[in-house]
């Protein structure tokens, strides 16, 4: 089963358990974000990837320029460990981590969570790649991915028991669009997946194909 087939099956299994008025709020927020055109304004293929240095869940801070000195980078932005779709996507990336590394690339995931939350996620899913904390979504803003939750959707998440105020270190409203970039050693984005729909993600097979294309 592909990752997006798995995500769709999970989405459909949840719908009957979400009250209708809550689904309406979530659907309206998703449509408004799609209509905003933000995904078209985000960095894309051919753009230069902004450099960054961010704290890692484990070990020293990680700088993009340092990673690129050793090879291409696969950069995945996700919302947080509280998001089940993100967890499914991260587990899929972990399953393909060896294939990514075999192509000489480094896989890095970024969320607005505090390092402690990222560490919990890393340990829970036994992730072998770097998970970085972008507090305040400053890096996500540079990539054109950051957006603020509308008030009613923020209240829905709070009602679900999701404490974004804590998880995001006081930046409760700001999240990144789901996005994955393949960046070559020169710092140029050679492949990009950006979508306002958090229930869809980059397919690992497409990421591997993009890495293979770098050698041509």
């Amino acid at each position: 089963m592909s990752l997006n087939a798995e995500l769709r099956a999970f989405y459909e299994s949840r719908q009957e358990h979400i009250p209708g008025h809550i689904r309406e709020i979530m659907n309206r927020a998703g449509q408004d974000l799609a209509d905003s055109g933000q995904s078209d304004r985000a960095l894309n293929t051919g753009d230069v990837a902004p450099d960054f240095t961010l704290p890692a869940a484990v070990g020293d801070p990680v700088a993009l320029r340092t990673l690129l000195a050793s090879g291409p980078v696969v950069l995945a932005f996700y919302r947080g460990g509280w998001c089940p779709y993100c967890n499914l996507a991260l587990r899929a990336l972990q399953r393909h981590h060896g294939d990514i590394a075999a192509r000489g690339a480094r896989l890095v995931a970024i969320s607005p969570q505090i390092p402690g939350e990222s560490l919990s996620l890393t340990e829970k899913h036994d992730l072998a790649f770097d998970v970085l904390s972008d507090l305040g979504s400053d890096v996500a803003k540079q990539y054109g991915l950051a957006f603020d939750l509308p008030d009613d959707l923020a209240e829905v998440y709070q009602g679900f028991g999701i404490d974004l105020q804590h998880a995001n270190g006081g930046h409760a409203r700001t999240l990144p669009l789901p996005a994955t970039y393949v960046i070559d050693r020169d710092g140029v984005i050679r492949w990009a997946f950006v979508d306002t729909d958090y229930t869809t993600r980059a397919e690992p097979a497409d990421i591997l194909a993009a890495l293979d294309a770098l050698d041509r």
Side-chain angles (χ1 to χ4, degrees), residues 158-178:
Q158 187 174 1
F160 286 163
I162 301 170
D163 187 357
L164 291 179
Q165 184 73 16
H166 166 74
N168 292 357
H171 302 276
R173 294 279 300 280
T174 307
L175 298 175
L177 299 180

Side-chain angles (χ1 to χ4, degrees), residues 176-187:
L177 299 180
T180 302
Y181 294 103
V182 172
I183 305 169
D184 70 14
R185 295 189 64 166
D186 294 323

